């Protein structure tokens, strides 16, 4: 007999505020009132990994070229990343989470879902549990975190951004319907920029707009994902909090100090990346058989493109064809190349890290 799920779940999504930058401000309090970013140097074509909220006020953002960030904010303090320190801090935070829930799904170094439906703490009040976790992170680790509390993962994740930084937001079950109705479609889990633009073009700006669409129309435009959209725009998300999720993608990429001038130069570099990818695939015990292979290119004008095909064991000719097609699309010098595999059932934009706490060979 299948187990019946609890009537009402209590999920906390918790996410540290400007994580790498917070750790840097903790370790050097003189940075607190300055705009701070962590990332690569502009001379070596570095990008911003993250920045504090003072820097965000100048328009600095994650993944922006550092040169661009310094243009927007000339007083920006740009620090090199210290990944070992961030990993140690992450371990401390995840140990605190473990005091409050047995069902924990880590999403990244600074982010996790906790299912506290059966928690004995604070008479089961998820809001009070979240507040206590955040207070302990502040006191014991020295950085701040924000939390969202709701009956499912999708709403909890959106809610954790609501009172960020250093805040929390509860969406009670009776308020969930109105909360979701007002959300722009881009907030839906799995809806990236491209899908959001397509939905907007088709006339849906908010989840309320999308609710007017019959299921058949959603499936017609978005295939299998249409069914998910139908549920999500109504606030329905039954995904369990799971600490044992299958891998969805594996990739390696490199930004080159000097642009790769032509297709031949790209192919030489791509072969090294493919070797690296195969090595990582060998080490990733949770990686099954890939479903698709992809090649990603970023050009000197920062435009980028990804080409993929269905293949579980691509040989050199397949990789070469993918590269060639990507290159043909712009025919410009290339600053970044990436290769990767996708596995079945990948939710868009949901790439998982290889292992949260292992050294990541793709890091600079
Ligand atoms: N990160 C990165 N490159 C990105 C995005 C993030 O290297 N494009 C790193 C740096 C971040 C950390 O991951 O500190 C956590 O990512 P988040 O998306 O949670 O961003 P932050 O914690 O920095 O900021 P926020 O306060 O918005 O959560
Ligand atoms: Mg964060």
């Amino acid at each position: 007999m299948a187990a019946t799920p609890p009537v009402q779940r209590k999920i906390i999504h918790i996410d540290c505020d400007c994580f790498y930058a917070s750790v840097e401000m903790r370790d050097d309090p003189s940075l607190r009132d300055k705009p701070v970013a962590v990332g690569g140097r502009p001379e070596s074509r570095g990008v911003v990994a993250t920045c504090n909220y003072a820097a965000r006020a100048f328009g600095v953002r994650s993944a922006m070229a550092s040169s661009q960030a310094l243009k927007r904010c000339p007083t920006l303090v740009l620090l090199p990343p210290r990944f070992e320190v961030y990993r140690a801090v992450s371990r401390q935070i995840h140990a605190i989470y473990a005091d409050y829930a047995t069902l924990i799904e880590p999403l990244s170094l600074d982010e996790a879902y906790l299912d506290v439906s059966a928690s004995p703490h604070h008479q089961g009040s998820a809001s009070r549990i979240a507040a206590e976790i955040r207070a302990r992170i502040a006191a014991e680790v020295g950085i701040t975190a924000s939390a969202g509390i709701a009956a499912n993962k999708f709403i909890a994740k959106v809610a954790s951004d609501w009172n960020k930084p250093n805040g929390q937001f509860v969406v009670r079950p009776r308020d969930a319907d109105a909360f979701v109705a007002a959300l722009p479609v881009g907030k839906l889990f799995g809806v990236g920029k491209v899908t959001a633009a397509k939905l907007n073009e088709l006339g849906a700006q908010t989840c309320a707009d999308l609710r007017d669409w019959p299921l058949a129309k959603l499936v017609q435009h978005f295939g299998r994902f249409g069914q998910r959209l139908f549920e999500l725009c109504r606030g329905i998300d039954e995904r369990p909090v799971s600490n044992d999720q299958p891998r969805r993608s594996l990739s390696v990429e490199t930004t080159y100090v000097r642009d790769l001038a032509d297709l031949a130069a790209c192919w030489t570099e791509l072969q090294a990346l493919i070797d690296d990818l195969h090595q990582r695939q060998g080490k990733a015990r949770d990686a099954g058989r890939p479903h698709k292979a992809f090649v990603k290119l970023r050009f000197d004008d920062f435009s980028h493109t990804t080409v993929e095909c269905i293949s579980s064991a691509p040989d050199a000719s397949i990789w070469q064809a993918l590269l060639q097609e990507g290159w043909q699309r712009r025919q410009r010098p290339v600053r970044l190349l990436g290769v990767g595999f996708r596995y079945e059932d990948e939710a868009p934009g949901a790439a998982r890290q290889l292992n949260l706490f292992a050294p990541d060979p793709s890091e600079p």
Side-chain angles (χ1 to χ4, degrees):
M1 199 175 77
T4 35
V7 179
Q8 196 75 72
R9 292 185 298 159
K10 293 176 186 174
I11 313 287
I12 300 173
H13 176 258
I14 186 147
D15 177 22
C16 297
D17 305 316
C18 57
F19 181 52
Y20 295 0
S22 293
V23 174
E24 298 303 335
M25 292 191 289
R26 173 195 76 172
D27 292 349
D28 178 357
S30 77
L31 296 171
R32 287 224 174 266
D33 301 320
K34 300 176 184 157
V36 175
V38 174
R41 300 298 316 166
E43 310 80 79
S44 48
R45 311 156 64 78
V47 293
V48 170
T50 193
C51 60
N52 67 1
Y53 283 72
R56 291 181 198 192
F58 287 88
V60 179
R61 294 286 179 270
S62 284
M64 180 180 275
S66 298
S67 54
Q68 168 77 0
L70 284 160
K71 260 185 221 139
R72 293 201 177 181
C73 178
T75 56
L76 186 69
V77 180
L78 181 62
L79 301 168
R82 297 184 300 152
F83 294 113
E84 352 49 79
V85 181
Y86 310 144
R87 266 185 218 110
V89 171
S90 175
R91 263 185 229 116
Q92 255 184 302
I93 294 165
H94 284 273
I96 294 175
Y97 298 159
D99 284 344
Y100 297 88
T102 45
L103 201 46
I104 300 173
E105 181 176 331
L107 294 176
S108 70
L109 286 181
D110 75 326
E111 216 180 315
Y113 290 113
L114 280 61
D115 186 328
V116 296
S117 309
S119 174
H121 297 272
H122 293 291
Q123 284 112 32
S125 160
S127 303
R128 281 163 59 198
I129 293 171
E132 185 168 308
I133 292 173
R134 292 177 43 246
R136 279 189 59 192
I137 293 175
E140 296 170 27
V141 186
I143 64 173
T144 60
S146 299
I149 300 115
N152 66 44
K153 295 208 288 191
F154 155 52
I155 301 178
K157 187 161 165 90
V158 174
S160 71
D161 275 341
W162 232 242
N163 280 329
K164 215 176 206 326
N166 197 17
Q168 65 183 54
F169 189 73
V170 194
V171 181
R172 292 181 206 297
R174 63 173 178 273
D175 302 326
D177 191 63
F179 180 82
V180 174
L183 290 178
V185 290
K187 290 276 183 194
L188 290 169
F189 178 81
V191 173
K193 274 191 198 140
V194 175
T195 310
K198 186 170 166 188
L199 284 164
N200 292 164
E201 250 173 58
L202 293 165
Q205 308 293 327
T206 65
C207 289
D209 299 338
L210 212 50
R211 287 180 191 177
D212 291 338
W213 291 27
L215 176 61
K217 180 172 172 187
L218 281 162
V219 171
Q220 175 204 333
H221 287 287
F222 300 97
R224 238 178 6 162
F225 188 55
Q227 173 72 41
R228 286 286 290 143
L229 284 172
F230 186 83
E231 292 164 2
L232 286 171
C233 72
R234 290 168 174 75
I236 299 166
D237 178 16
E238 302 288 349
R239 289 172 302 153
V241 172
S242 156
N243 46 19
D244 187 26
Q245 290 207 320
R247 166 169 296 286
R248 288 160 174 156
S249 72
L250 179 67
S251 64
V252 289
E253 60 179 48
T254 298
T255 301
Y256 299 97
V257 176
R258 277 198 202 88
D259 290 341
L260 307 173
D262 53 25
L263 184 57
C266 289
W267 175 237
T268 304
E269 293 299 334
L270 199 79
Q271 292 174 76
L273 286 180
I274 294 166
D275 285 347
D276 201 5
L277 179 69
H278 282 134
Q279 271 188 21
R280 289 188 60 169
Q281 190 193 19
K283 282 190 208 149
R285 263 172 279 133
D286 58 343
R289 236 174 128 68
H291 173 55
K292 285 180 176 172
F294 66 91
V295 169
K296 170 178 161 187
L297 300 97
R298 177 167 286 142
F299 299 92
D300 64 342
D301 61 352
F302 282 89
S303 65
H304 56 90
T305 190
T306 300
V307 194
E308 63 178 32
C309 71
I310 292 176
S311 172
S312 58
D315 59 14
S317 68
I318 290 183
W319 289 116
Q320 208 164 14
L322 291 174
L323 173 68
Q324 193 162 358
E325 168 156 1
W327 162 265
Q328 294 296 350
R329 288 177 182 172
R330 302 279 197 303
Q331 304 185 26
R332 310 177 56 100
V334 168
R335 70 192 308 270
L336 172 148
L337 283 176
V339 289
F341 293 127
R342 288 189 218 288
Y343 298 87
E344 284 271 40
D345 281 327
E346 180 180 0
R352 265 170 34 99
Q353 268 184 280
L354 188 60
N355 174 340
L356 230 43
F357 300 120
D360 182 347
S362 71
E363 283 172 356

